[in-house]
Amino acid sequence: VRPPAGCDLVLTQDTLVAGVHFRERDPPRLIARKALRVNLSDLAAKGGEPLCYLLSLGIAPAMTGAWAEEFVAGLAEDQATYGMTLLGGDTVLCEDRAVITVTVCGTVPSGAMVRRAGARPGDRVYVSGTIGDGALGLRLLRDEAGASFELLAESEREHLRRRYLLPEPRTSLAAALRAHASAAMDVSDGLVGDLSLLLEASGCSARIEAARVPLSPAAARLVPRPELFEAALTGGDDYEILCTVAPREAAALTAAAQAAGVALTEIGEVVQGRGPAVVFGADGAPMSFAQGSYAHF
Amino acid sequence: VRPPAGCDLVLTQDTLVAGVHFRERDPPRLIARKALRVNLSDLAAKGGEPLCYLLSLGIAPAMTGAWAEEFVAGLAEDQATYGMTLLGGDTVLCEDRAVITVTVCGTVPSGAMVRRAGARPGDRVYVSGTIGDGALGLRLLRDEAGASFELLAESEREHLRRRYLLPEPRTSLAAALRAHASAAMDVSDGLVGDLSLLLEASGCSARIEAARVPLSPAAARLVPRPELFEAALTGGDDYEILCTVAPREAAALTAAAQAAGVALTEIGEVVQGRGPAVVFGADGAPMSFAQGSYAHF
């Protein structure tokens, strides 16, 4: 790999495990695209532009025929969409369950990578798109007949399923983040927990207003149930951008995001102090969560 | 990652699966070092110098305590040995068996990466170190009481076990390969099969003399048994360098290897034509193999 003149490379590596990050029976074409996209989401949050990738595919013998053909078709589709080439990698036998690791290599102008550690007290906190759809989509896929989901129209169900199965990485925000954000990361393990990681890296805290967290119409129907609101704020699978921005840069950031076609919503403010974000509910009281984010262990 | 001025980056990615590439009960410190070293072996074969790496660790909950501490200690040890830093990666739950993917990022002077496709008829074929120890070491670990191994002294057994558990990547050969080799790759899936991949990429064939393939004293005791000679030539886990070199460069290559402290042995010649390498036995007749290399599927 020869980086373009004046550019650094940004490397991201994310692993998807069958039964954890996708379901064995999910369409292989979507599994392939999700494996690329979770990395592209990380890359976008760092201000990087896609260049190429490596794939390590651990699959069972039963997956070598039509499954693999569909998987490869999914890779080809998103390679074209995001302008990436496959450099190489590994293909191994992984009898019990598929394990897929993708390493994406992207470019940023030298020194321009956006880090987690740049947030400062007074900065505003923004998220892209809508939060909670992926986590709610997974719950729906696991319990289609559940009473919680009776309120949803079929188009809303399909929206939530789709958001779980195929993330939309916010690649078009990369340049705006490089130009204006003080810190950024993608939301993959839950908004509350991921924000706390950013704050920890930056040595600050934050005050978030739950009512300002952007929701899709489908998610908005579900969050009056407290357990589903908590799932939306902490469940993960969002693949949205979480960023902080100094007040003087806020208008430029939101204008750039609008020009890039991605909604960006202010949800709170960085404050002095250390510790996880405090999320204020509609009643003005701090909310508490059983678990701030998806935890593997 | 900012590559040094005048350098390209070389990325390698290899996955180790418990029960396939290592045994669950192998010391975690050695598993960690093997995960790095199989990549460093690939990198050395491309003429690259180690820079940094990414780690995706899929482990079961039971592996989070002392197991993980030993694993991390192994990483730290080889980071120091090879001058690499850990950039990032992923840690995921992988209930059934550990799956470990490492991506190593190395540097080469721009345009100097050694490829598989450069072999030409008349080039000589060399391998580093000794061949077959890893494959024989795995067989020994699986069958310590086996009649095949009765001939071995304990020091020879320990040599074979060690060669399986902890590869020695030939990083010190990288500069010599860049300067003199026409093509190279590492031997990880078996000498015969890996050579055939190199020849396929180069559009040539080769004639190899089995009697010239370098063997350790332990392996030399075992190969009079035909099935163990075949295991040595096709079993993999060698992590040695296989390379081709034009006749006029051969003396310079072997001198550079000697200066680097790595034995390099000529085993045959690249010839015109297409197809896998032909390996001639001690009787002068071509040998045939049940399987040219380790196959996952």
Side-chain angles (χ1 to χ4, degrees):
Chain A
V1 180
R2 187 171 305 168
C7 282
D8 297 339
L9 295 179
V10 178
L11 298 176
T12 77
Q13 183 171 286
D14 251 1
T15 294
L16 302 190
V17 180
V20 181
H21 302 89
F22 62 91
R23 302 168 317 147
E24 292 277 2
R25 66 178 179 283
D26 288 341
R29 196 180 283 249
L30 295 185
I31 296 170
R33 296 169 73 193
K34 185 168 184 173
L36 295 178
R37 288 171 175 223
V38 300
N39 279 283
L40 289 166
S41 177
D42 272 324
L43 180 65
K46 303 291 103 185
E49 311 288 346
L51 182 63
C52 53
Y53 72 102
L54 298 158
L55 170 69
S56 178
L57 187 56
I59 53 175
M63 290 169 152
T64 50
W67 192 96
E69 279 174 31
E70 283 294 302
F71 186 89
V72 168
L75 294 178
E77 189 174 341
D78 270 1
Q79 282 185 209
T81 300
Y82 297 102
M84 287 197 298
T85 53
L86 174 61
L87 286 187
D90 203 358
T91 308
V92 298
L93 177 67
C94 204
E95 198 71 61
D96 314 289
R97 57 177 74 221
V99 179
I100 303 163
T101 298
V102 168
T103 303
V104 162
C105 178
T107 60
V108 289
S110 287
M113 189 180 83
V114 183
R115 296 173 183 274
R116 288 186 186 179
R120 294 293 170 261
D123 284 0
R124 296 176 188 176
V125 179
Y126 284 83
V127 290
S128 66
T130 58
I131 292 295
D133 296 328
L136 296 171
L138 176 57
R139 275 166 181 72
L140 173 64
L141 282 162
R142 285 180 173 159
D143 182 25
E144 288 278 354
S148 309
F149 303 112
E150 279 172 5
L151 292 167
L152 297 178
E154 177 51 31
S155 63
E156 291 168 335
R157 288 171 178 259
E158 187 52 28
H159 170 82
L160 295 180
R161 290 185 203 112
R162 186 78 181 175
R163 289 275 284 164
Y164 171 74
L165 291 170
L166 190 65
E168 284 292 337
R170 302 304 183 182
T171 46
S172 64
L173 278 186
L177 295 171
R178 291 196 305 268
H180 306 295
S182 56
M185 67 185 292
D186 83 325
V187 183
S188 56
D189 288 336
L191 175 64
V192 175
D194 285 343
L195 175 56
S196 293
L197 292 176
L198 185 151
L199 295 168
E200 189 182 349
S202 297
C204 319
S205 186
R207 299 167 62 94
I208 301 299
E209 288 178 54
R212 298 177 76 174
V213 173
L215 300 173
S216 68
R221 271 196 205 275
L222 298 175
V223 298
R225 291 176 184 267
E227 77 278 13
L228 293 183
F229 199 16
E230 175 155 349
L233 295 178
T234 66
D237 269 309
D238 295 293
Y239 302 106
E240 295 290 354
I241 303 289
L242 170 67
C243 64
T244 60
V245 59
R248 67 178 180 286
E249 295 283 334
L253 176 66
T254 52
Q258 194 167 24
V262 179
L264 210 54
T265 305
E266 188 181 341
I267 61 170
E269 191 182 357
V270 180
V271 297
Q272 285 194 322
R274 295 243 174 187
V278 181
V279 182
F280 294 92
D283 59 359
M287 297 174 71
S288 66
F289 303 101
Q291 193 163 44
S293 64
Y294 183 83
H296 282 278
F297 299 99
Chain B
V1 180
R2 187 170 306 169
C7 282
D8 297 338
L9 295 179
V10 178
L11 299 176
T12 77
Q13 183 171 287
D14 252 0
T15 295
L16 301 189
V17 179
V20 180
H21 303 89
F22 63 91
R23 302 167 320 145
E24 290 278 4
R25 65 178 179 281
D26 289 341
R29 197 181 282 250
L30 296 185
I31 297 170
R33 296 168 74 193
K34 184 167 185 174
L36 294 178
R37 287 171 175 224
V38 299
N39 279 283
L40 289 165
S41 178
D42 272 324
L43 179 66
K46 303 292 100 185
E49 310 288 346
L51 181 64
C52 53
Y53 72 103
L54 299 158
L55 169 69
S56 177
L57 186 57
I59 54 175
M63 290 168 151
T64 51
W67 192 96
E69 278 174 31
E70 282 295 301
F71 187 89
V72 168
L75 293 178
E77 188 173 345
D78 270 1
Q79 282 185 210
T81 301
Y82 296 102
M84 286 197 298
T85 53
L86 175 61
L87 286 187
D90 203 0
T91 308
V92 298
L93 177 67
C94 204
E95 197 72 61
D96 314 288
R97 56 177 75 220
V99 178
I100 303 163
T101 298
V102 168
T103 303
V104 162
C105 178
T107 60
V108 289
S110 287
M113 188 180 83
V114 184
R115 296 173 183 273
R116 288 185 186 180
R120 295 292 170 262
D123 284 0
R124 296 176 187 174
V125 180
Y126 284 83
V127 290
S128 66
T130 57
I131 292 295
D133 296 328
L136 295 170
L138 176 58
R139 276 166 181 70
L140 173 65
L141 283 161
R142 286 180 174 160
D143 182 26
E144 287 278 356
S148 309
F149 304 112
E150 279 171 5
L151 292 166
L152 298 178
E154 178 51 31
S155 63
E156 292 168 333
R157 289 172 176 259
E158 187 52 26
H159 170 81
L160 295 180
R161 290 185 203 111
R162 185 78 181 175
R163 289 275 284 163
Y164 171 74
L165 290 170
L166 190 65
E168 284 293 336
R170 303 304 185 182
T171 46
S172 65
L173 279 186
L177 295 171
R178 290 197 305 268
H180 306 295
S182 55
M185 65 184 294
D186 82 326
V187 183
S188 55
D189 289 336
L191 175 64
V192 175
D194 285 342
L195 175 56
S196 293
L197 293 176
L198 185 151
L199 296 169
E200 189 182 349
S202 297
C204 319
S205 185
R207 300 166 61 95
I208 301 299
E209 289 178 54
R212 300 177 76 174
V213 173
L215 300 173
S216 68
R221 272 198 204 275
L222 298 175
V223 298
R225 293 177 184 267
E227 77 279 11
L228 293 184
F229 199 15
E230 176 156 348
L233 295 178
T234 65
D237 268 311
D238 295 294
Y239 303 105
E240 294 290 354
I241 302 289
L242 170 68
C243 65
T244 60
V245 59
R248 69 179 180 283
E249 296 284 333
L253 176 66
T254 53
Q258 193 167 24
V262 180
L264 210 53
T265 305
E266 187 180 343
I267 60 169
E269 191 183 357
V270 180
V271 297
Q272 285 192 323
R274 295 242 175 188
V278 181
V279 182
F280 294 92
D283 58 359
M287 298 174 69
S288 65
F289 303 102
Q291 193 164 43
S293 63
Y294 183 81
H296 281 279
F297 297 99

